[in-house]
Amino acid sequence: MLNLTKGEKIFFTVIIISLLMVNPPILGFINTFAQSTPLMWGYPTLWLWLEFWYVVAIVTFLVGVLKLKNWQKTYPDDEEVK
């Protein structure tokens, strides 16, 4: 069993949700909405949906890199090794 911290669980949950939201089964539901409302705020509805979830994934990765302790590895300097 993996010992994940609360932050890692949140990270993986958000990434999995964002990956699911841009895949064809979900896009079928969004496409029916996009057919009835082709433009939202002057942009194509499906494009906005995809861009939103891509931004969510990118921001999640950036926050994960900065906040998750397991991703912050320190390496010894070359002088310390000698």
Side-chain angles (χ1 to χ4, degrees), residues 11-79:
F11 169 78
F12 288 124
T13 302
V14 172
I15 288 297
I16 289 171
I17 289 172
S18 65
L19 287 174
L20 288 174
M21 291 297 152
V22 297
N23 279 306
I26 302 297
L27 288 181
F29 295 117
I30 301 306
N31 194 28
T32 56
F33 176 75
Q35 287 174 349
S36 63
T37 312
L39 293 177
M40 250 181 163
W41 304 303
Y43 294 101
T45 305
L46 190 59
W47 181 81
L48 283 176
W49 175 265
L50 292 173
E51 291 302 313
F52 171 76
W53 286 108
Y54 292 144
V55 168
V56 167
I58 291 168
V59 169
T60 303
F61 269 110
L62 291 176
V63 170
V65 166
L66 296 174
K67 297 287 183 179
L68 294 177
K69 295 292 182 196
N70 287 340
W71 285 20
Q72 296 177 358
K73 302 293 181 189
T74 56
Y75 297 101
D77 293 335
D78 290 336
E79 296 172 4

